Amino acid sequence: MQMKKVVLFLSLIGIISATNAQQALFGGPKVKSPEINPDNTVTLRIFAPNANEVTVTGDFLQPITSESNNDKIDRPEAVNLIKGEDGVWSYITPYPLPPELYMYSFNVDGLRMMDPANVYMNRDVATVTNIFLIDEPGSRAHNYRVNDVPHGTVSRVWYNSPGLDKNRRMTIYTPPGYEDSNDSYPVFYLLHGAGGDEEAWISLGRTAQILDNLIAQGKAEPMIVVMTNGNPSQEAAPGENSKGFIQPGMDISGMNAGEFETSFPDVINYVDKHYRTKADKAHRAIAGLSMGGFHSLHTSKLYPDLFDYIGLFSAAIFPFEGRDKAPVYQDFEGKLKTQFEKNPKLYFIAIGDKDFLYNDNVKFREILDSNGYPYEYFETPEGHIWKNWRIYLNEFAPKLFK
Amino acid sequence: MQMKKVVLFLSLIGIISATNAQQALFGGPKVKSPEINPDNTVTLRIFAPNANEVTVTGDFLQPITSESNNDKIDRPEAVNLIKGEDGVWSYITPYPLPPELYMYSFNVDGLRMMDPANVYMNRDVATVTNIFLIDEPGSRAHNYRVNDVPHGTVSRVWYNSPGLDKNRRMTIYTPPGYEDSNDSYPVFYLLHGAGGDEEAWISLGRTAQILDNLIAQGKAEPMIVVMTNGNPSQEAAPGENSKGFIQPGMDISGMNAGEFETSFPDVINYVDKHYRTKADKAHRAIAGLSMGGFHSLHTSKLYPDLFDYIGLFSAAIFPFEGRDKAPVYQDFEGKLKTQFEKNPKLYFIAIGDKDFLYNDNVKFREILDSNGYPYEYFETPEGHIWKNWRIYLNEFAPKLFK
């Protein structure tokens, strides 16, 4: 009787729900996928009894060669799953995977689809992919997972930006202990790329996990991390603004006329007013990926007294022709000179050797070199991908505020 | 040249990415789906040139009859999409849809899948479905969307619970203006059901949107809303705790031995210490759905001096036999008597007329009636579904702290 009631409860609450339609929604056979095997090979499975061909693609597929330098890795496009008698298709990687956060998606008879057995996904612009993590204690990827360490608080905060004439949303990480101390903290402004928004670094970038772990390991100082929305046309991420559930798309309003850079003090003013910050150059960092690297470069030289730490991750460097007329972008070398005369403590440039922005970064480093401006340079394999941006964050954050 | 560079930039950053595998991940033809037509019919589309049959199921399908009282609505299981010559399958609802937040999923040749053109989804336990909103100004569903009104802050906060011997995560909404005032605010504790977690109310329940809108309309008082994790076995939602990306499942640890209820002061103590609260019974509410209604019932009578506002949404009422030995659940009527002798300002019971817990709620109301304990009763059509819980939140919040 007791068991019967528990079973009734389990079968009725939540999973199997109140309408026929919902029973159809919630039903379907279950398989385990992905399964991370003890040797770090991974098995992917999908129940598709009527399918003729099932393939999987993802960045877990081993590169065949990596000799080209054209922003490509020669990886198989996809590999085939094998059908079992039970209608379950499966694929097991013939090699153990190095610790990393991987993404993948299935293709069933030509139709791209998510893994129905895996609720973990990332959205990158308008594309959603499944993810899994290969973990190994001590590895970099171990910093991407939630570990049993003190955790910071992650808040979605609305602020008014007079410079953009909008109420706007940002994501703010405060470090463990913030709520229970009266200390003031340094602030790291962390900016996304084109097509991204204030959700990008916290989801795809694993910022909260990386910071929690680096701080717990004593590698990074406790700091506030502020992740803005870099698109001046937007109030907030798609679905989080008053335009409704619109399809996310590319947005390069952030590279138009310098409004993001000129209005950046609106963000800093809000943060310094509402959080216990060390509100000076020595305790302020700015870094970003791609368009966010562009923003970090141009904002930091526009306001040379604001940031002692600057990070360009796979950065766009030069404004589009015709858009370089905005005052922000004029006198590139003059502004840079002023900035470096003020001796920022760290100017950090990171890029993948196959990034399509590699040559622009070479050109930029030549400008820095020819003027004797000091910077740190960090080069990784591969291209313009989130894997690299997580690596750069994990590398950059420990260098701050020391 | 400028245009060429912009196109190169657009085509390389973000969407089309750095590896072959990723190009495959990010590629594929695009269709618009869902399309909400001017008359509030909805068109759903999927590009599936090789498919033999495509259906869609969801709660937007019109009930055929609704005469049964067995927790079911007689809705079509699914309807067929029609294939076009371009390989795009489509379905248009033959009726306009009333304003509501709807969910749906496709089935292609027997395989359940998400709409590849729609990035908006909800996770309910281990099941992810696509969502869309039919909006109409002035409708209840209009409160489910982000409108151009002042927005509260939503934070994921970790606190220590000595009673559960864990660091645990909760979601906290502070109302618009909180950061810029020195006012103290009332607190509404809002609890999820079995299988849910501290993400359920903020995602499926649209709590931030409902509160933002009700407050902006002057219908609800500005209040703090605290959404806990109701599973004593968990630190945090799946994927957000140190167990990694585990498959979410049912969890009835919250209905085992009363630990959730007995340890609830840990939550209140944290909130009262770290937020500007009006820390008294008159400014404290507790409500929850299903298991969370059970928690609200038993916590509020265990601590009869803590809450002046109690809401049971489709509540489980009675503990499982054998589990009713926990002190929390003993002397049910005696504890209830003490609670009602202290005259709570509002005891609110809401349920759908097809809910599988309907009869238990009838039985509970008979106890209240026979003792002359006052309560408000709110009955809706349909069963144990999120649609109803959003309705109840929208109904209950305006009654608080007035």
Side-chain angles (χ1 to χ4, degrees):
Chain A
M1 174 64 184
Q2 184 203 335
M3 189 46 67
K4 191 180 153 206
K5 199 165 176 185
V6 174
V7 169
L8 176 76
F9 191 84
L10 276 176
S11 69
L12 286 174
I13 286 196
I15 287 187
I16 299 169
S17 198
T19 71
N20 287 340
Q22 281 171 331
Q23 286 188 17
L25 278 178
F26 285 113
K30 299 273 182 258
V31 296
K32 186 172 168 96
S33 180
E35 181 168 14
I36 296 166
N37 304 306
D39 62 352
N40 284 352
T41 60
V42 172
T43 308
L44 300 166
R45 296 185 182 91
I46 184 170
F47 178 73
N50 304 322
N52 294 310
E53 187 183 34
V54 180
T55 64
V56 61
T57 186
D59 57 3
F60 67 91
L61 296 173
Q62 214 165 35
I64 301 168
T65 74
S66 54
E67 285 171 21
S68 66
N69 190 14
N70 58 353
D71 200 32
K72 276 188 173 184
I73 302 264
D74 286 326
R75 214 167 238 146
E77 283 278 347
V79 291
N80 280 85
L81 278 71
I82 307 299
K83 188 178 186 176
E85 286 176 13
D86 51 0
V88 176
W89 297 71
S90 63
Y91 172 78
I92 179 165
T93 61
Y95 41 81
L97 294 176
E100 185 54 68
L101 182 68
Y102 294 96
M103 62 178 183
Y104 70 101
S105 68
F106 287 131
N107 189 299
V108 178
D109 291 338
L111 194 57
R112 179 186 181 280
M113 65 174 290
M114 297 294 90
D115 184 344
N118 184 356
V119 300
Y120 299 104
M121 314 176 191
N122 271 336
R123 176 181 68 82
D124 193 4
V125 195
T127 302
V128 181
T129 54
N130 285 114
I131 57 172
F132 65 87
L133 181 82
I134 301 290
D135 178 36
E136 226 166 68
S139 71
R140 180 176 40 73
H142 193 64
N143 286 354
Y144 302 165
R145 77 190 297 284
V146 179
N147 290 308
D148 190 12
V149 299
H151 302 294
T153 295
V154 176
S155 301
R156 269 73 172 185
V157 174
W158 289 79
Y159 70 104
N160 182 259
S161 174
L164 296 173
D165 193 24
K166 279 188 183 66
N167 289 316
R168 310 189 78 235
R169 191 171 178 263
M170 57 185 163
T171 302
I172 298 188
Y173 168 90
T174 51
Y178 178 89
E179 287 89 351
D180 288 302
S181 86
N182 291 312
D183 295 349
S184 292
Y185 292 82
V187 185
F188 174 17
Y189 294 89
L190 182 56
L191 315 179
H192 64 79
D197 52 61
E198 74 277 14
E199 294 294 320
W201 269 111
I202 205 74
S203 60
L204 293 148
R206 309 290 294 169
T207 302
Q209 291 76 30
I210 291 173
L211 267 288
D212 278 355
N213 286 309
L214 288 174
I215 292 169
Q217 295 155 15
K219 290 181 182 164
E221 295 294 312
M223 65 183 85
I224 299 168
V225 184
V226 175
M227 292 153 272
T228 59
N229 183 308
N231 312 298
S233 65
Q234 295 182 4
E235 295 172 327
E240 301 290 345
N241 66 53
S242 58
K243 293 183 179 167
F245 291 150
I246 56 167
Q247 180 75 342
M250 289 306 290
D251 185 338
I252 55 163
S253 63
M255 305 184 80
N256 257 335
E259 301 104 319
F260 179 85
E261 294 90 332
T262 53
S263 68
F264 202 76
D266 293 350
V267 176
I268 296 179
N269 290 340
Y270 182 91
V271 171
D272 284 340
K273 185 176 169 197
H274 293 88
Y275 291 80
R276 296 190 313 276
T277 63
K278 293 184 174 165
D280 59 20
K281 187 187 182 197
H283 298 94
R284 214 179 272 127
I286 188 168
L289 73 93
S290 196
M291 178 179 81
F294 179 91
H295 285 154
S296 301
L297 189 169
H298 293 286
T299 304
S300 67
K301 69 177 171 48
L302 182 65
Y303 299 111
D305 296 316
L306 287 187
F307 306 98
D308 242 349
Y309 301 86
I310 298 100
L312 313 188
F313 302 169
S314 313
I317 304 286
F318 303 107
F320 300 134
E321 283 173 54
R323 301 185 183 190
D324 51 7
K325 300 294 183 288
V328 176
Y329 307 125
Q330 288 185 355
D331 191 21
F332 191 100
E333 296 211 22
K335 287 198 176 75
L336 213 52
K337 181 166 186 285
T338 304
Q339 181 177 15
F340 276 94
E341 280 170 357
K342 291 167 181 276
N343 298 312
K345 286 193 186 146
L346 174 65
Y347 205 97
F348 178 87
I349 298 173
I351 195 160
D353 61 11
K354 292 181 181 53
D355 196 303
F356 78 101
L357 292 168
Y358 189 86
N359 289 338
D360 275 6
N361 275 259
V362 169
K363 198 170 144 194
F364 180 56
R365 287 192 293 123
E366 284 167 0
I367 295 172
L368 297 178
D369 289 334
S370 68
N371 287 287
Y373 302 152
Y375 62 93
E376 272 191 37
Y377 181 64
F378 183 71
E379 189 171 299
T380 55
E382 306 197 55
H384 209 74
I385 54 176
W386 271 103
K387 174 182 170 184
N388 272 338
W389 302 325
R390 288 185 291 264
I391 291 174
Y392 304 158
L393 174 59
N394 198 65
E395 191 75 16
F396 185 65
K399 299 176 186 289
L400 302 178
F401 316 124
K402 286 188 168 164
Chain B
M1 173 64 185
Q2 183 202 335
M3 187 47 65
K4 192 181 154 207
K5 198 165 177 184
V6 174
V7 169
L8 176 74
F9 191 83
L10 276 176
S11 68
L12 287 174
I13 286 197
I15 289 186
I16 300 169
S17 198
T19 72
N20 285 341
Q22 281 173 334
Q23 287 189 16
L25 280 178
F26 286 114
K30 299 272 183 259
V31 296
K32 185 174 167 99
S33 179
E35 182 167 15
I36 296 166
N37 304 306
D39 62 353
N40 283 355
T41 60
V42 172
T43 308
L44 299 165
R45 295 185 183 91
I46 183 170
F47 178 73
N50 304 322
N52 294 311
E53 187 184 33
V54 180
T55 65
V56 62
T57 185
D59 57 2
F60 67 92
L61 295 173
Q62 215 164 34
I64 301 168
T65 75
S66 53
E67 285 169 23
S68 67
N69 191 15
N70 57 355
D71 200 34
K72 277 187 173 183
I73 302 268
D74 288 325
R75 216 166 236 145
E77 283 278 347
V79 291
N80 281 85
L81 279 71
I82 306 298
K83 188 178 186 175
E85 285 177 13
D86 51 1
V88 176
W89 297 70
S90 63
Y91 172 78
I92 179 166
T93 61
Y95 41 82
L97 294 178
E100 187 53 69
L101 183 67
Y102 294 96
M103 61 178 183
Y104 70 101
S105 68
F106 287 131
N107 188 301
V108 179
D109 291 338
L111 194 58
R112 179 184 181 281
M113 64 175 290
M114 298 291 91
D115 184 344
N118 184 357
V119 300
Y120 299 105
M121 314 176 192
N122 271 336
R123 174 181 68 82
D124 193 5
V125 196
T127 302
V128 180
T129 54
N130 285 114
I131 57 172
F132 64 87
L133 181 83
I134 301 290
D135 178 37
E136 226 165 69
S139 71
R140 180 176 38 74
H142 194 63
N143 286 354
Y144 302 165
R145 75 190 300 284
V146 178
N147 290 308
D148 190 12
V149 299
H151 302 294
T153 295
V154 176
S155 301
R156 269 74 171 187
V157 175
W158 289 79
Y159 70 105
N160 183 258
S161 173
L164 295 173
D165 193 24
K166 281 189 181 66
N167 288 316
R168 308 189 77 236
R169 190 171 179 263
M170 56 185 163
T171 303
I172 298 188
Y173 168 89
T174 51
Y178 178 89
E179 287 87 351
D180 287 303
S181 86
N182 292 313
D183 295 349
S184 292
Y185 292 83
V187 185
F188 174 17
Y189 294 89
L190 183 56
L191 314 180
H192 64 79
D197 51 60
E198 75 276 16
E199 294 294 319
W201 269 110
I202 205 73
S203 60
L204 292 148
R206 308 291 294 167
T207 303
Q209 291 76 31
I210 290 173
L211 267 289
D212 279 355
N213 286 309
L214 288 174
I215 292 168
Q217 294 156 17
K219 290 182 182 163
E221 296 295 310
M223 66 183 85
I224 298 168
V225 184
V226 175
M227 291 152 273
T228 58
N229 182 308
N231 312 298
S233 65
Q234 295 182 3
E235 297 174 325
E240 301 290 345
N241 65 52
S242 58
K243 293 183 179 165
F245 291 150
I246 56 167
Q247 180 75 342
M250 289 305 290
D251 185 337
I252 56 162
S253 63
M255 305 184 81
N256 256 337
E259 302 103 319
F260 180 85
E261 295 89 333
T262 53
S263 68
F264 202 76
D266 294 349
V267 176
I268 297 179
N269 290 340
Y270 182 91
V271 171
D272 284 341
K273 184 174 170 198
H274 293 88
Y275 291 80
R276 296 190 314 276
T277 63
K278 294 184 174 166
D280 59 20
K281 187 187 183 199
H283 298 95
R284 214 178 271 128
I286 189 166
L289 74 92
S290 195
M291 178 180 80
F294 179 90
H295 286 155
S296 301
L297 188 170
H298 293 287
T299 305
S300 68
K301 70 176 169 47
L302 181 66
Y303 299 111
D305 295 316
L306 286 187
F307 306 99
D308 243 348
Y309 300 87
I310 299 99
L312 313 188
F313 302 168
S314 313
I317 304 287
F318 303 106
F320 301 133
E321 282 174 53
R323 301 188 183 189
D324 50 9
K325 300 293 183 289
V328 176
Y329 308 125
Q330 289 185 353
D331 190 22
F332 191 100
E333 295 210 24
K335 286 198 177 77
L336 213 54
K337 181 166 185 285
T338 306
Q339 181 177 15
F340 276 93
E341 279 170 358
K342 290 169 181 279
N343 297 312
K345 287 192 186 146
L346 175 63
Y347 204 97
F348 178 86
I349 299 174
I351 195 160
D353 61 11
K354 292 181 182 54
D355 197 302
F356 78 103
L357 292 167
Y358 189 86
N359 289 338
D360 275 5
N361 274 257
V362 169
K363 197 171 145 195
F364 180 56
R365 287 193 292 123
E366 284 167 2
I367 296 172
L368 298 178
D369 289 335
S370 67
N371 288 286
Y373 302 152
Y375 62 91
E376 272 190 39
Y377 181 64
F378 183 70
E379 188 171 301
T380 55
E382 305 197 59
H384 208 73
I385 54 176
W386 270 103
K387 175 183 171 184
N388 272 338
W389 303 324
R390 287 184 294 264
I391 291 174
Y392 304 158
L393 175 60
N394 198 65
E395 191 74 16
F396 185 65
K399 299 177 186 290
L400 302 179
F401 316 123
K402 285 189 169 162

